[in-house]
Amino acid sequence: KQEVTQIPAALSVPEGENLVLNCSFTDSAIYNLQWFRQDPGKGLTSLLLIQSSQREQTSGRLNASLDKSSGRSTLYIAASQPGDSATYLCAVGGAGNMLTFGGGTRLMVKP
Amino acid sequence: DTAVSQTPKYLVTQMGNDKSIKCEQNLGHDTMYWYKQDSKKFLKIMFSYNNKELIINETVPNRFSPKSPDKAHLNLHINSLELGDSAVYFCASSQDLFSRELDNEQFFGPGTRLTVL
């Protein structure tokens, strides 16, 4: 059974700082890995999708990496802004493309 | 031009009632999903469904049943509601289900907050 863990659970940084969010998973037989953002009381916004054959994806200030053999992914956020404050969720796609989610990292970027 | 929409946004009901949550996607996707986010904000898959196959998470009680009138809709029916069913339910969709090579990015709806009294 796939288990996904995100560290840290919460993070507070000053504006402008570069930061890394970590995600680990127990079963390396994955289809893909997807990073989401969730704002309070809102739905999920897809940030980046990495297929199992890829090692990284970039979108603007975001860069996500995938190391299947070690069961790890990182989300790098450059030059953080207060608008980046949200909960970031890592999800691993398995059989049936069903996603297994981590518990999330609550990020607060202070002005 | 919402990609994945859900109704209602909020649903408050009594224990024992039967209720439905509707989901529609206008992305032309073949596969739809239901997820549950509990009070601790932990998201868990309930079902994935396309016109070929329904895949059920083994932990989902059989009081929950997805019903798809057509490819663009996947409704969630819940019978005999219990207090523990209170949660936010998210619908999602993706292009395909079985191919590892296609882009299977999932797009989520805004969620339905269900409160069982």
Side-chain angles (χ1 to χ4, degrees), chain A residues 3 10 16 18 26 31 35 38 40-41 45-46 51-52 56 60 81 110:
Chain A
E3 292 182 4
N18 302 325
T26 55
Y31 279 43
W35 282 94
Q38 186 175 27
T45 301
S46 177
Q51 300 290 359
S52 62
E56 69 175 336
Q81 302 171 358
K110 299 178 182 176

Side-chain angles (χ1 to χ4, degrees), chain A residues 1 29-32 34 36 38 41-44 46-47 49 51-52 89 95-99 101-103, chain B residues 9 33 35 37 42-43 45 47-48 55 90 94 96-106 108-110:
Chain A
K1 178 187 170 188
I30 66 171
Y31 279 43
N32 52 43
Q34 201 165 346
F36 294 90
Q38 186 175 27
K42 304 288 187 183
L44 279 69
S46 177
L47 298 173
L49 169 72
Q51 300 290 359
S52 62
L89 295 161
N97 201 37
M98 294 198 288
L99 294 177
F101 279 85
Chain B
K9 188 172 174 66
Y33 311 82
Y35 291 85
Q37 188 170 42
F42 196 70
L43 265 160
I45 180 71
F47 308 97
S48 72
I55 301 176
F90 287 99
S94 69
D96 197 1
L97 178 64
F98 296 107
S99 170
R100 287 182 178 237
E101 301 303 319
L102 290 178
D103 185 342
N104 286 322
E105 184 175 10
Q106 292 191 25
F108 279 68

Side-chain angles (χ1 to χ4, degrees), chain B residues 37-81:
Chain B
Q37 188 170 42
D38 61 25
S39 57
K40 296 182 179 178
K41 307 297 184 188
F42 196 70
L43 265 160
K44 202 166 189 178
I45 180 71
M46 299 178 71
F47 308 97
S48 72
Y49 182 83
N50 67 7
N51 59 1
K52 300 169 189 168
E53 188 168 349
L54 169 66
I55 301 176
I56 303 171
N57 184 316
E58 60 189 11
T59 66
V60 176
N62 58 15
R63 297 181 295 103
F64 290 79
S65 58
K67 299 220 186 318
S68 180
D70 55 59
K71 197 174 80 166
H73 297 83
L74 183 66
N75 303 325
L76 181 65
H77 294 267
I78 316 171
N79 295 326
S80 303
L81 277 156

